[in-house]
Amino acid sequence: SEESKQRDFLTQLTLCFPETIRYKIEGKGEKEGEYKTLQRRILFIDDKDTFEDIPDQVSRYVIPRGEDTKVGDACKEILDQLLGILDINLGSTYEQVSNIIYENKLSWKINKREEMLSPNLIYVIYGVNDGNEGIFEPLMYLSFMLTEEIDISKDGLIELVIYLYEIQLLPDLRGQGIGQTMIQYLKATSTQYNESRHSDGNDISSIALTVFSSNERAFKFYTKLGFQYTVGSPRDERIVSIANRTRRRQARSTCESGSNKGYRVIKPIYYLLYVPIK
């Protein structure tokens, strides 16, 4: 059943993502610097409050009914913190494309907050605890969902995938291999899930995600980890100028070197990428 899939997936999640990780703080005048320990939090968005036997390490956030459903008092504080991390990293990009990708004129933060409350969305968050106040401050997070998608690895094929909505680290945590490690944990979760289900014919086939075409740094990061275009992904379109078409008829040599001279490239807003689970 869908409920048993979700429960098994959450169980493997708690086993594959460590309860703590460390990141290096560059010390002033110190050769080695020092390390800080981050604590793990796992949140599960539940719109019906019907899932049973969720692991103790997972916090359930039930979307409240009523006028303020999009915000939800139970989720508001943690969502504000995660939204703040996203704003630092990609706020300007979302501001430019929000009206197009969400197909409305609302601010990107309103649209994103509603998306962040999607049923069955899971957050793995690492942050620091204030020892005096007991306040948890997130420094990085992943949000993803176990779901069925079409046109990932084969045209028309419906596959069970982990759809990665966000992987966001504050700038101080970058360049230490943490993002790559998080993807490895997600792959390990998929593998362990498949093994725990004893090949029931509905294994997780891949991790899929959306990346903005303007975010070259992220695109290079994912492709370095083996991600590739899905079958249904938008692609760059190369437009050859009229004058250049004429020259090509005459010489058939323009752009054969692979340079960008003689044509312009129109990029989509985003690409869809995936990496198979082997």
Side-chain angles (χ1 to χ4, degrees):
S1 67
E2 293 301 318
E3 189 169 330
S4 67
K5 288 180 186 178
Q6 197 68 253
R7 182 179 60 249
D8 291 348
F9 182 67
L10 288 170
T11 298
Q12 298 305 324
L13 202 64
T14 63
L15 298 175
C16 293
F17 280 82
E19 293 185 7
T20 62
I21 62 171
R22 296 200 309 163
Y23 80 97
K24 187 175 182 180
I25 305 172
E26 295 296 334
K28 295 182 179 180
E30 299 178 10
K31 293 182 179 180
E32 299 298 330
E34 60 181 86
Y35 287 86
K36 178 171 282 189
T37 299
L38 304 182
Q39 306 291 327
R40 184 196 70 189
R41 295 279 183 92
I42 301 177
L43 309 178
F44 174 67
I45 304 298
D46 183 2
D47 68 330
K48 298 178 181 178
D49 195 18
T50 57
F51 282 98
E52 300 178 358
D53 301 324
I54 284 181
D56 293 338
Q57 303 96 317
V58 178
S59 299
R60 187 208 318 259
Y61 282 81
V62 181
I63 300 175
R65 304 295 178 181
E67 295 180 359
D68 204 24
T69 299
K70 291 184 180 180
V71 178
D73 292 339
C75 299
K76 188 177 186 303
E77 183 175 352
I78 191 69
L79 289 180
D80 283 345
Q81 292 172 308
L82 301 186
L83 199 58
I85 296 175
L86 183 61
D87 191 10
I88 291 171
N89 293 340
L90 287 175
S92 59
T93 301
Y94 269 109
E95 189 171 354
Q96 292 174 8
V97 303
S98 176
N99 293 347
I100 299 174
I101 62 176
Y102 291 111
E103 299 181 345
N104 61 45
K105 295 183 179 181
L106 299 175
S107 74
W108 76 268
K109 288 187 178 180
I110 292 176
N111 283 318
K112 194 64 181 181
R113 186 184 294 279
E114 182 174 1
E115 180 183 286
M116 292 173 77
L117 280 170
S118 298
N120 299 336
L121 197 59
I122 300 166
Y123 296 87
V124 176
I125 308 163
Y126 284 95
V128 292
N129 282 312
D130 186 321
N132 298 322
E133 300 294 333
I135 299 174
F136 181 75
E137 179 187 359
L139 300 184
M140 60 159 291
Y141 74 97
L142 294 81
S143 60
F144 48 87
M145 184 186 298
L146 184 63
T147 184
E148 291 184 340
E149 296 288 334
I150 193 170
D151 297 339
I152 299 296
S153 65
K154 187 176 181 180
D155 190 20
L157 180 67
I158 299 176
E159 303 175 58
L160 184 64
V161 305
I162 297 176
Y163 201 96
L164 181 60
Y165 282 68
E166 301 288 350
I167 174 169
Q168 300 294 337
L169 292 75
L170 285 175
D172 288 347
L173 277 68
R174 296 176 191 165
Q176 302 186 36
I178 296 175
Q180 180 176 345
T181 300
M182 292 296 116
I183 296 294
Q184 291 172 347
Y185 291 150
L186 205 51
K187 285 185 175 181
T189 300
S190 305
T191 300
Q192 293 300 317
Y193 170 89
N194 290 343
E195 292 180 359
S196 71
R197 302 286 292 188
H198 304 294
S199 300
D200 63 358
N202 197 17
D203 287 351
I204 297 173
S205 66
S206 59
I207 300 171
L209 56 86
T210 301
V211 60
F212 289 121
S213 61
S214 60
N215 193 346
E216 295 181 3
R217 185 172 181 269
F219 182 80
K220 290 178 180 178
F221 167 76
Y222 291 124
T223 53
K224 185 178 180 180
L225 295 180
F227 281 81
Q228 55 192 292
Y229 292 110
T230 69
V231 172
S233 175
R235 304 290 185 93
D236 292 352
E237 184 179 358
R238 192 169 68 175
I239 306 297
V240 180
S241 68
I242 295 177
N244 213 35
R245 291 191 196 118
T246 302
R247 287 195 295 271
R248 280 189 172 184
R249 293 193 192 100
Q250 296 172 351
R252 299 293 182 184
S253 62
T254 305
C255 302
E256 288 182 2
S257 64
S259 70
N260 285 337
K261 295 179 181 179
Y263 62 80
R264 59 191 178 95
V265 176
I266 299 178
K267 293 181 177 291
I269 293 176
Y270 58 83
Y271 305 117
L272 300 173
L273 307 179
Y274 82 103
V275 63
I277 301 300
K278 300 179 180 179

